[in-house]
Amino acid sequence: MFQLFLRARAHNLLSRGRSEERFKARSAERDAETDHTRIGSIMAAIDAAIQEAEKEQAGLNRRVDDALARASVTFGNGTDEYLEREALDNYHQDLFAADISNGQRRLKELASTISHLKFVKAAMLTRFPDFRPPQLSS
C-alpha cells in the first residue's frame, strides 16, 4: 500500500515537471563569455593590486632616498663629529634612522608582495591559457 502511495507521488512530481518548463542549458558561447568575465575580473584585481604596490614602492623609495640624503647632510664631515655633535643633531639623526629603517622594511615587504602577486598572475595565465584581456580602444 505504501509503495503505491510513493509511486503515485513520484508520478505526480515527474509529470508536473514535464508539463511545466523544461530544463534548458545556456549556449556554449554564453558560458564562455561568463567564464571570461569571471577570469577577467580576477585578473583586473591582480593587475590593480600590482600597480598600486608598485606606485607605493616607487614613492617610498624616493622618500627613503631623500631621508638618506638629509641624514648624510646632518652628519657633518669631521672625523670626530659624533663626539661633539649637538643633542638636537643626535635627536634628528635618531629620527632619520628610524624613518629609514621603517622605509627599508616596508620596501622589502612590498618587493615580496609584488613578487607574489606576479606569481599569482602567471599562475592564472597558465591555468587559463585561452584568456585574453579586453583590448582598450585607442
Side-chain angles (χ1 to χ4, degrees):
M1 175 90 165
F2 186 69
Q3 288 177 342
L4 290 174
F5 172 75
L6 286 178
R7 275 191 209 148
R9 289 285 287 163
H11 178 70
N12 287 342
L13 287 173
L14 291 174
S15 65
R16 191 178 329 151
R18 287 187 205 140
S19 64
E20 294 176 6
E21 192 175 323
R22 290 180 14 155
F23 170 75
K24 293 181 184 179
R26 293 190 300 192
S27 69
E29 294 82 19
R30 187 170 172 199
D31 287 342
E33 182 181 324
T34 301
D35 293 343
H36 187 271
T37 301
R38 286 183 185 134
I39 296 165
S41 66
I42 294 168
M43 292 299 290
I46 293 170
D47 285 337
I50 290 171
Q51 288 175 357
E52 289 171 12
E54 287 174 340
K55 280 184 193 175
E56 181 183 351
Q57 185 181 41
L60 182 58
N61 206 11
R62 283 191 302 274
R63 291 192 306 277
V64 168
D65 288 345
D66 182 55
L68 283 168
R70 286 187 286 138
S72 67
V73 168
T74 62
F75 257 121
N77 56 4
T79 56
D80 60 348
E81 176 74 23
Y82 69 94
L83 294 174
E84 300 171 6
R85 188 177 303 135
E86 298 286 328
L88 185 60
D89 289 339
N90 279 334
Y91 173 74
H92 285 117
Q93 283 297 315
D94 292 342
L95 289 177
F96 283 132
D99 287 345
I100 292 166
S101 177
N102 286 336
Q104 289 173 335
R105 175 195 49 79
R106 181 64 180 149
L107 285 171
K108 286 180 186 175
E109 290 172 357
L110 285 169
S112 177
T113 298
I114 290 167
S115 173
H116 293 319
L117 289 170
K118 286 182 177 180
F119 174 80
V120 169
K121 181 178 179 177
M124 284 288 294
L125 290 173
T126 59
R127 296 295 181 187
F128 301 100
D130 295 335
F131 174 76
R132 299 286 175 262
Q135 298 299 319
L136 298 175
S137 56
S138 307

